[in-house]
């Protein structure tokens, strides 16, 4: 199977639609949480994911959108955007978010938002954090997001190796335990403003990272119209 793996869409339906158009054909769509938050179109993003029968997990922003205390840990801009999001979600969208688990296992694949040992909150940004999650991983592959940066971590006899993949970069999944991060669809933070995602091939055992240009100016226009924080609007220009 060819599966599109998306993460950190953050209510950016313009980016999501560009990604979904570029992924075809695929057999399934998996998402790794933070479907909402930051961006201007939370319901539209959820509707788009529902339309392709996407399955996935809950992120910390998704939990906060349902009224969770996660919002207490947000910076002022993220909190302001989340308070706005809470007033916009329909009952149908809330129900969809509420049904998302914090962890999902599908055969050889474990899906989480943050990390294997802390699905909602931990950022895997160091070899030590990756090693800790790899030790707790009970399947061959762990798929995670949260950092908004595409990266692969692999367990080796001599430690943990790191790969920073570029657009179109395919890597074989050879290690017995691997963590793969597709980057962010809706708010990239690796210095590249194009939407990032990943295609995994469950038969060939490969992961391929992809990027696609989307209409950033349109998203920014919608954000300004919603009164969302200026910094969140401007960062989309730079992918930070």
């Amino acid at each position: 199977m060819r599966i599109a793996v998306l993460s950190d869409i953050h209510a950016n339906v313009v980016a999501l639609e560009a990604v979904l158009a570029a992924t075809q054909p695929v057999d399934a769509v998996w998402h790794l949480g933070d479907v909402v938050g930051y961006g201007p179109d939370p319901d539209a993003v959820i509707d788009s994911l529902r339309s392709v029968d996407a399955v996935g997990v809950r992120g910390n922003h998704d939990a906060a959108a349902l009224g969770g205390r996660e919002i207490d840990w947000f910076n002022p801009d993220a909190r302001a955007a989340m308070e706005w999001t809470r007033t916009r979600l329909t009952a149908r969208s809330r129900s969809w978010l509420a049904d998302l688990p914090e962890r999902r296992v599908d055969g050889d694949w474990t899906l989480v938002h943050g990390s294997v040992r802390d699905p909602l909150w931990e950022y895997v940004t160091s070899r030590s954090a990756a090693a800790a999650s790899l030790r707790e991983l009970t399947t061959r592959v762990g798929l995670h997001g949260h950092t908004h940066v595409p990266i692969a971590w692999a367990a080796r006899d001599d430690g943990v190796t790191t790969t920073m993949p570029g657009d179109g970069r395919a890597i074989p999944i050879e290690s017995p335990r691997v963590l793969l991060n597709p980057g962010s669809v809706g708010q990239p933070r690796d210095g590249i403003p194009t939407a990032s995602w990943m295609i995994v091939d469950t038969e060939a055992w490969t992961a391929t990272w992809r990027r696609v240009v989307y209409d950033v100016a349109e998203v920014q226009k919608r954000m300004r119209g919603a009164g969302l924080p200026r910094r969140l609007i401007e960062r989309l220009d730079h992918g930070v």
Side-chain angles (χ1 to χ4, degrees):
M1 292 179 64
R2 294 181 73 253
I3 301 170
V5 183
L6 322 178
S7 192
D8 298 279
I9 302 165
H10 282 297
N12 186 340
V13 74
V14 177
L16 175 60
E17 289 176 349
V19 167
L20 291 177
T23 62
Q24 299 303 321
V26 292
D27 301 298
V29 176
W30 290 349
H31 73 85
L32 305 179
D34 276 9
V35 170
V36 300
Y38 296 136
D41 295 298
D43 287 321
V45 162
I46 292 171
D47 288 344
S48 289
L49 292 175
R50 292 171 66 101
S51 73
V52 295
D53 296 321
V55 299
V57 295
R58 183 183 305 185
N60 57 306
H61 282 256
D62 306 321
L66 295 171
R69 294 291 301 275
E70 289 79 9
I71 196 173
D72 294 341
W73 297 92
F74 288 1
N75 65 48
D77 288 339
R79 185 183 184 102
M82 182 51 62
E83 289 171 345
W84 177 88
T85 299
R86 286 177 171 180
T87 69
R88 295 304 192 275
L89 287 171
T90 64
R92 185 175 187 234
S93 292
R94 290 179 181 278
S95 177
W96 188 86
L97 290 173
D99 286 342
L100 295 175
E102 290 188 6
R103 185 189 312 266
R104 184 184 295 269
V105 176
D106 189 323
D108 292 306
W109 309 80
T110 296
L111 285 65
V112 294
H113 176 64
S115 76
V116 176
R117 63 178 181 174
D118 185 351
L120 280 187
W121 280 110
E122 184 178 24
Y123 290 91
V124 180
T125 57
S126 66
R127 280 188 171 83
S128 60
S133 274
L134 287 165
R135 285 193 296 269
E136 295 196 19
L137 184 63
T138 59
T139 60
R140 184 171 178 181
V141 182
L143 301 174
H144 70 105
H146 198 34
T147 67
H148 298 216
V149 176
I151 193 170
W153 310 88
R156 306 289 187 187
D157 291 339
D158 56 350
V160 176
T161 62
T162 305
T163 302
M164 302 292 289
D167 184 19
R169 172 76 181 275
I171 66 169
I173 302 172
E174 298 173 324
S175 173
R177 285 173 294 127
V178 177
L179 298 176
L180 305 176
N181 188 327
S184 173
V185 169
Q187 194 194 82
R189 295 180 185 168
D190 59 348
I192 305 171
T194 52
S196 177
W197 81 101
M198 181 172 62
I199 299 289
V200 294
D201 189 319
T202 63
E203 296 177 2
W205 283 99
T206 60
T208 304
W209 281 260
R210 298 284 306 280
R211 309 294 292 237
V212 66
V213 174
Y214 70 94
D215 191 345
V216 172
E218 173 61 24
V219 181
Q220 292 172 320
K221 176 183 176 182
R222 297 183 189 188
M223 293 176 76
R224 284 191 292 269
L228 293 171
R230 179 178 175 180
R231 180 174 178 272
L232 298 181
I233 297 170
E234 293 177 346
R235 73 188 304 173
L236 295 180
D237 283 322
H238 309 289
V240 296

